[in-house]
Structures are given as C-alpha cells and as structure tokens.
Amino acid sequence: MDPTLSHETARRRTFAIVSHPDAGKTTLTEQLLLYTGALREAGIVGGKAGRKGATSDFMALERERGISVSSASLQVPFEGFVLNLLDTPGHQDFSEDTYRTLTAADAAVVLLDAARGVQAQTIKLFEVCHRRGIPIFTFVNKLDRPALDPFDLLEETERVLGIQVTPVTWPIGSGPSFRGVYDRLEREVHLYDRGARGQRATALPVAGVDDPRLAETLGAEAHATLREHVELIEGLLEPLDPARVLAGTLSPAFFGSVLTSFGVDVFLRHFVRLAPPPADTIGDDGTRVQVDGDQFVARVFKLQANLDPRHRDRTAYARVLAGRFERGMSVTHLRTGRPLKLARAHTLFADERATVEEAFPGDVVGLVNPGVLRIGDVLASGRGLALPPLPRFVPEVFATVRSRRVERDKAFRKGLQQLGEEGVVQRFHPAQGARDTIVGAVGRLQFDVFSRRMLDEYDVEVELADEPFQAVRWLVPAPERVGRFGRLVVDETGASAVLLRFDKELEYVLDEHPGTVAHALPPA
C-alpha cells in the first residue's frame, strides 16, 4: 500500500453546500475561503454595495443577476486538511446540476435562513443527500437579522426533514444584539467584534458560560438567557455522536451569520474533524474498489464549455474515487472501452486554473475534453466498474431555437451541441415536419442562461419560440410517425420520444401504436 496515497486520502474533505435560493450559500463558500486563507476579502453574489463579487460566481450572468447558476469547484488547505468545496446553484431551475454535484460529495452542508426556516428547495436537496446516506451538517444563517427562536428552528428542521438535529454551537442573541456563539463541545463562548464586512472576524475567547466577564460584556439579562439555554441544551438535547453523524442519521447544527463572519470559523474547525474522508467505491455488482489501492477510478459529473475565453475549450469535471491521478496517465474510457491518455488536466479555482501533476481521492480534476467525455463517464485503470447512473431530470418547458443571423449557423450548431452536452438544455430534433431544434429545460431561467451563453461565448443571438408542450415521454419501440396528438422527436442520443401538450395525448399516441411502451426517463 502506498503510504503517501493513504495519508493524502485521509486529509481530504469533499463536500457540497446546498440551500434554498438567497439563504447565503455562495457567501458561505466565500467565508470558508477567507478562513482558509485562500482569500483576503470575501465576496458576495453580484458584488453589491461596492464589495467584490463572489469568487465562485464567475459567469457574467451570475454577477449581474446576483444568483448562482453553475456549480463551482474550489480546493483549499485548512489546518492540515484539504477541502474540496462544491458550490452549487440554489435556483430550482438548476436542480439537475445540483443533484449531479451531490453525487461527487462525501458530505453536505445544508444552509438555512434563520428567519425562514426550512424552505421548499432545501427539502428537495436534503432528500437527495439523505438517500445517498452521506453526513449532513446544518448551518443556520443570518443570525445578524431578526430570527426565529433557535429551539423552534431545530424542532422544525427535525419535523420537516425527518432527521435528528443536535446543536454544536448555540447563538448568543439575534439581530442587532447577536454577539457570537457558545461551543458545546469545547464548552467555550466565542464573542465577535463587528469588523468590516467580508473581513475575518476576531474571536474573543472566554473561559466558559460561567465566566464573570460575560455578565459585564453581555449584560445581566442576556447572560442569564444564555445560561438558561445552555442548561436546557445539555439537559434535554442529544449529545453529539460522531458515529451517527457519519451514518447520516444525526445532523450537527451550527449557528452564525455568514455575511458578518460570525460562527464560521468555529463551524469549520468542527466540520473537518467530523466529516468523513473519501471511502471505498462499490459498483452495481457489489465490486469494491479500495479508495487508497492501486486501481485508479474517476467519474465525470459535470461538463463546462469555455471556462477559458482565450481558448474556448471544454472541461470535464471528474471526481477521483480511488487511486492516484498522475498527469499523462493512460486509463480506459469504460463507456467506449477505448484507452484515453489524461495529458491535459488542471485544478480549478472558479474560472482560474493551474496544471495539476497529481491528485488523490476526493479531489476534483478538470480534464480538457475534446468531445469524448460525457456526464457520468467512468475512467479507470485495471478492470471495469459499473456505477449507478447519475440523476437526469425531465424537462417541463420547451421552445424552438433558431439563430437570428444565418451567417452564424456553424457557431450556432457548435454552441447548441456543447451546451446541450453540458446539460444547460436538452435537445430534441423533430422526426417529422419542421426541422428546427426544440430545446427543453426544467425551468425558464435555464433558457435565459442558454441565450446569454450563446451570445457571450459563441457570438450567436438566438430566438426562442415557446412551444405548448408540458411533458416528454420516450417510446420503445419507436413509431414511424404519430397522428395529430403530440410531436414525434428524437433526443440527443437518438432515442425516440413524443412531446405532449397534456396527459391525455399520451393515451391517444399509445392507442395508435399498441405495441409501443412509454417511459418517463430515456432508455439506458
């Protein structure tokens, strides 16, 4: 066994941050980078109020609209550990991108808004994490604003999400009176000065909750409230059980204010010690690949075109599952069975990159993709390994897409193909009648991103004409044509499907073709 490989694997912590939109997810990413020393100043989405924009939001559309619409991968060292942060879109229209990213994570941080509690998108993303059985950490954000009672927040989280929650830190006040957090494990109180926003807050250590200086600092009433809360926590709530955390049945909860840096450093120090390192990979047939063994295995979970506007290349994000990655190594591309040399690889810091010579389990490597790699592809040395398919969402809105300038047709087709392979939109080609491509998406914001990226990255202005369809079903075997109900199309893999305006149309199509079976997902 390679001792270096084992040591490096044990140091890795690969995790995703998920939340409902506007809960502060990307700002938390920035603060984690601040505390690890990767940034001197933390940014916010959109760079509002004269502050720098978020490092992990590098698209022009993200900076202009103040939203995250793409996944970003960031690697930073912290106190002997190596953190691989997977920042994800919060908007529900990009749930598929978020779900795929979660398959590359060993743990998840679920961010809650202290004034709003558990919200709809949080529930959906939590369910994905819970099904995978990965550890889930809860961070209750925005305590610098008026907030719900922390006991009520914990009760709601347990009731709505169906997981037991136990606080590791506890807030001291909320809104303008928010002063810091109490650390249950270390039995320490951390008070904070309100420094300049985006700068690292200075912790003022106190001996414990009974320290007489606390009464002077907080005032007698606030101090009494804190002591009462701590007594209730210790007497009524579950102690932290690291084994249950790793099993995904107990979620450690932390409180703070990401924007003002309160509670972030305490969270980070506990997180790296409670979160798991990368584990062995289990194939569909039960085959186990040792994480620090001789066999190399990696999986592509995201494609991104045009990260470098100077070269207009395509990058495949691959999570190293097992073994050591070395630049220039030869592997087998399992989907095609062909050998592939990984000569051009880089580590990622949002849109910035550096050549990577080696990587270890848990790391995310950017591979220059000449059009060979697809989402879900497995790269391996040695024997093959079959893994479960990555999540695929069925589109719910559809539009015909055309280029407004016929002379840009070549660039239009290139952009349509590359952004389709990325998963920005799904492409359907009519099998009869009009020949213009139809694009599908989970939500309309995906169309906005598609149009903007076509313009910015391919210099193509597109026209999107809404189609009345609300659903798609894949047909096996494929009929030659359908009647006046539905529109027969072929998806980007060549599979036959029908676009439907309403549910009843599917019955008419199947009545026309009694030997045909409809599927809600494309055939494997």
Side-chain angles (χ1 to χ4, degrees):
M1 183 178 295
D2 183 347
T4 300
L5 175 58
S6 299
H7 172 70
E8 291 297 332
T9 300
R11 296 200 306 136
R12 262 58 184 180
R13 299 293 184 270
T14 302
F15 63 101
I17 303 175
V18 297
S19 75
H20 194 86
D22 201 35
K25 170 183 53 61
T26 299
T27 308
L28 175 58
T29 301
E30 297 290 307
Q31 290 293 352
L32 295 180
L33 296 177
L34 176 71
Y35 276 102
T36 58
L39 294 179
R40 288 192 301 270
E41 179 186 3
I44 58 172
V45 183
K48 299 172 185 176
R51 294 178 58 194
K52 71 183 288 288
T55 300
S56 55
D57 282 339
F58 53 87
M59 289 185 184
L61 183 65
E62 292 177 314
R63 295 188 180 278
E64 290 173 10
R65 291 202 179 187
I67 55 173
S68 300
V69 298
S70 65
S71 299
S73 172
L74 309 163
Q75 184 183 78
V76 291
F78 178 73
E79 295 188 356
F81 295 88
V82 177
L83 303 182
N84 292 304
L85 290 74
L86 305 177
D87 185 26
T88 61
H91 199 284
Q92 63 182 3
D93 287 4
F94 299 91
S95 295
E96 185 173 343
D97 195 6
T98 299
Y99 278 42
R100 287 197 301 257
T101 301
L102 285 171
T103 65
D106 297 322
V109 178
V110 176
L111 195 64
L112 302 180
D113 186 323
R116 298 177 180 176
V118 181
Q119 296 172 272
Q121 185 69 357
T122 309
I123 298 172
K124 294 180 181 179
L125 297 173
F126 173 86
E127 288 172 351
V128 177
C129 302
H130 204 42
R131 282 201 301 270
R132 290 200 59 227
I134 61 176
I136 299 168
F137 295 76
T138 301
F139 192 98
V140 181
N141 187 29
K142 301 187 179 181
L143 267 296
D144 57 315
R145 304 178 185 180
L148 300 173
D149 179 84
F151 287 104
D152 291 342
L153 279 168
L154 294 184
E155 188 278 331
E156 180 190 29
T157 302
E158 291 191 340
R159 174 172 46 82
V160 176
L161 298 184
I163 187 173
Q164 194 164 15
V165 181
T166 191
V168 175
T169 65
W170 192 257
I172 302 174
S174 68
S177 63
F178 179 59
R179 301 299 304 278
V181 295
Y182 169 70
D183 186 331
R184 283 183 72 195
L185 300 188
E186 301 297 332
R187 298 187 181 277
E188 292 179 343
V189 173
H190 295 265
L191 301 176
Y192 296 83
D193 291 327
R194 287 181 182 266
R197 285 187 171 185
Q199 300 294 326
R200 183 167 180 168
T202 303
L204 303 175
V206 183
V209 71
D210 294 318
D211 192 317
R213 291 176 298 171
L214 271 178
E216 299 176 11
T217 305
L218 301 178
E221 184 177 349
H223 185 219
T225 300
L226 174 62
R227 293 183 65 183
E228 178 185 349
H229 283 183
V230 171
E231 184 177 345
L232 287 171
I233 292 168
E234 301 298 348
L236 300 177
L237 299 184
E238 285 286 324
L240 184 72
D241 182 349
R244 291 187 60 199
V245 174
L246 292 178
T249 61
L250 179 67
S251 177
F254 300 81
F255 291 82
S257 165
V258 169
L259 191 61
T260 56
S261 301
F262 283 170
V264 176
D265 55 341
V266 181
F267 160 74
L268 194 55
R269 291 190 184 97
H270 284 301
F271 173 80
V272 294
R273 288 163 178 83
L274 290 170
D280 295 349
T281 298
I282 310 297
D284 281 346
D285 60 356
T287 302
R288 177 183 293 270
V289 178
Q290 188 175 341
V291 67
D292 55 355
D294 295 332
Q295 184 178 7
F296 169 80
V297 179
R299 190 181 206 185
V300 176
F301 66 93
K302 178 180 173 61
L303 300 179
Q304 179 78 53
N306 308 314
L307 273 173
D308 187 346
R310 296 168 297 180
H311 301 294
R312 298 299 185 193
D313 56 5
R314 286 183 283 177
T315 295
Y317 290 69
R319 152 75 192 254
V320 179
L321 298 175
R324 183 199 296 252
F325 168 88
E326 294 176 326
R327 188 165 70 95
M329 70 186 302
S330 293
V331 299
T332 300
H333 183 215
L334 296 187
R335 178 170 53 81
T336 63
R338 297 176 180 174
L340 184 65
K341 187 172 183 179
L342 307 181
R344 300 172 63 192
H346 47 263
T347 54
L348 305 161
F349 192 86
D351 59 340
E352 301 175 10
R353 64 177 71 184
T355 299
V356 59
E357 298 295 334
E358 63 178 358
F360 301 93
D363 291 346
V364 175
V365 179
L367 303 173
V368 174
N369 179 22
V372 175
L373 298 174
R374 297 179 186 172
I375 291 171
D377 280 357
V378 178
L379 309 174
S381 63
R383 64 186 185 279
L385 180 70
L387 296 177
L390 295 181
R392 189 72 190 271
F393 280 34
V394 177
E396 299 176 7
V397 292
F398 301 86
T400 298
V401 59
R402 307 179 184 90
S403 172
R404 291 185 181 273
R405 294 158 55 194
V406 67
E407 68 273 16
R408 298 296 298 163
D409 184 67
K410 183 177 180 180
F412 167 73
R413 297 188 181 281
K414 178 181 179 181
L416 186 60
Q417 176 184 344
Q418 292 186 352
L419 296 185
E421 291 173 352
E422 245 186 66
V424 177
V425 292
Q426 295 183 40
R427 295 165 291 157
F428 299 92
H429 306 287
Q432 57 190 78
R435 308 308 298 174
D436 287 325
T437 298
I438 297 172
V439 291
V442 175
R444 303 204 67 84
L445 184 57
Q446 283 182 266
F447 285 161
D448 293 344
V449 172
F450 168 73
S451 298
R452 179 59 181 272
R453 290 189 61 187
M454 287 290 288
L455 183 61
D456 288 349
E457 299 171 20
Y458 302 93
D459 191 27
V460 174
E461 186 177 0
V462 298
E463 176 184 351
L464 289 167
D466 288 344
E467 293 285 354
F469 308 113
Q470 298 181 4
V472 58
R473 292 293 182 269
W474 282 263
L475 304 178
V476 179
E480 291 186 7
R481 61 175 54 248
V482 296
R484 60 192 182 92
F485 298 107
R487 182 178 298 179
L488 190 64
V489 295
V490 176
D491 73 6
E492 50 213 27
T493 69
S496 179
V498 61
L499 303 182
L500 306 165
R501 290 170 294 182
F502 46 86
D503 293 339
K504 196 72 174 177
E505 278 194 319
L506 181 60
E507 295 182 22
Y508 299 143
V509 171
L510 297 180
D511 285 344
E512 288 179 339
H513 306 279
T516 296
V517 178
H519 299 272
L521 294 174

